[in-house]
Amino acid sequence: MGSDTRPVQRVRTFKPRRRQLTPARAALFERLRPTLCLDVEGERFDPTAEFGRTAPLILDIGIGFGDSLTTAAAADPDIDVIGADVHTPGIASTMARIESMGLDNVRLVHGDALSFAERLASGSLAGIRIFFPDPWHKARHRNRRMASARNLDLFCSLLSPGGTLHVATDIEDYALQVQRLADARDELEGGVVPRPAWRPETRYERKGLVAGRTVTDLIYRRR
């Protein structure tokens, strides 16, 4: 018998959520999608051609409604940011913020960030941000967490020397999982850090703080 050469199916790291857009937000989504949204699949992504300049590139995975992403992008216009999320209302909200804030250093991926990452060249990212990812609390679902050995392989390959992986979570065992996996990588150095002053507070973060949860920031740098 010959060996099975079929590609290994990627584990889905997000929970599907269904919510329709209002007519006004749907119109905005369709109007801005051609200029702001990148194809999930396609040829090798060329950031210089897309943004019209050469600048540090950040991939922000799971952007929610885009408040944190757009605030950080406005505060640091010398970086280019790609924000990815699968949920249409969040992408539409982010589009509205990008337009109202006049940002030209942000593009969006309406789909799976891990699939889009296959378009990125090795060593092309100055940073990867994963703020408050789906926690997948149940033990049988832990393999769906963004924090996995397989995903860390991908992230390390995409980071340039000196590039950073920044994870923020209010789930204690999630933070411990990230720390355990990242500490085991010879090419990474870092760990738990005080909350960076530049990181904007997200909606999810505020809810967690109200509920009494503690937020942990972890930053690892590619050697």
Side-chain angles (χ1 to χ4, degrees):
M1 296 177 61
S3 60
D4 189 345
T5 58
R6 291 174 299 177
V8 177
Q9 185 175 5
R10 189 182 297 281
V11 175
R12 190 173 65 190
T13 59
F14 52 87
K15 300 174 183 177
R17 299 180 180 92
R18 304 286 183 258
R19 199 175 92 192
Q20 290 187 334
L21 300 176
T22 64
R25 192 49 63 89
L28 176 142
F29 181 86
E30 291 303 322
R31 176 169 60 84
L32 295 180
R33 180 170 57 177
T35 55
L36 291 182
C37 280
L38 306 173
D39 292 335
V40 176
E41 299 178 347
E43 298 178 352
R44 180 71 71 202
F45 177 67
D46 183 348
T48 302
E50 178 64 35
F51 290 98
R53 64 176 183 175
T54 300
L57 182 64
I58 303 291
L59 177 63
D60 194 328
I61 299 175
I63 61 173
F65 286 89
D67 45 349
S68 174
L69 165 69
T70 52
T71 300
D76 196 351
D78 292 330
I79 66 169
D80 293 329
V81 186
I82 298 172
D85 209 295
V86 298
H87 306 300
T88 308
I91 291 291
S93 175
T94 308
M95 288 178 171
R97 290 179 62 89
I98 291 170
E99 183 174 57
S100 66
M101 297 168 71
L103 301 176
D104 57 9
N105 61 332
V106 181
R107 297 293 185 273
L108 301 173
V109 172
H110 182 212
D112 187 356
L114 298 179
S115 295
F116 172 77
E118 296 178 5
R119 295 188 60 195
L120 299 175
S122 297
S124 63
L125 295 180
I128 298 171
R129 297 172 182 167
I130 308 172
F131 296 159
F132 304 96
D134 283 330
W136 295 106
H137 290 290
K138 295 181 180 180
R140 69 176 183 272
H141 292 155
R142 294 292 171 82
N143 67 318
R144 295 190 179 277
R145 286 182 166 180
M146 187 63 68
S148 71
R150 179 183 179 183
N151 290 342
L152 211 59
D153 285 342
L154 173 64
F155 299 153
C156 287
S157 72
L158 294 176
L159 288 173
S160 61
T164 56
L165 171 65
H166 183 179
V167 180
T169 179
D170 60 0
I171 306 300
E172 182 179 4
D173 77 287
Y174 201 113
L176 292 173
Q177 182 173 335
V178 172
Q179 192 170 21
R180 174 176 56 80
L181 290 170
D183 285 349
R185 306 291 304 229
D186 291 338
E187 62 269 56
L188 295 177
E189 58 181 355
V192 177
V193 299
R195 185 189 190 283
W198 63 263
R199 182 175 67 74
E201 192 177 72
T202 71
R203 298 185 188 189
Y204 183 91
E205 181 176 8
R206 287 192 290 272
K207 291 179 180 179
L209 292 172
V210 170
R213 294 194 291 271
T214 300
V215 174
T216 301
D217 280 82
L218 303 101
I219 297 182
Y220 284 86
R221 188 174 306 277
R222 182 81 156 83
R223 297 181 190 274

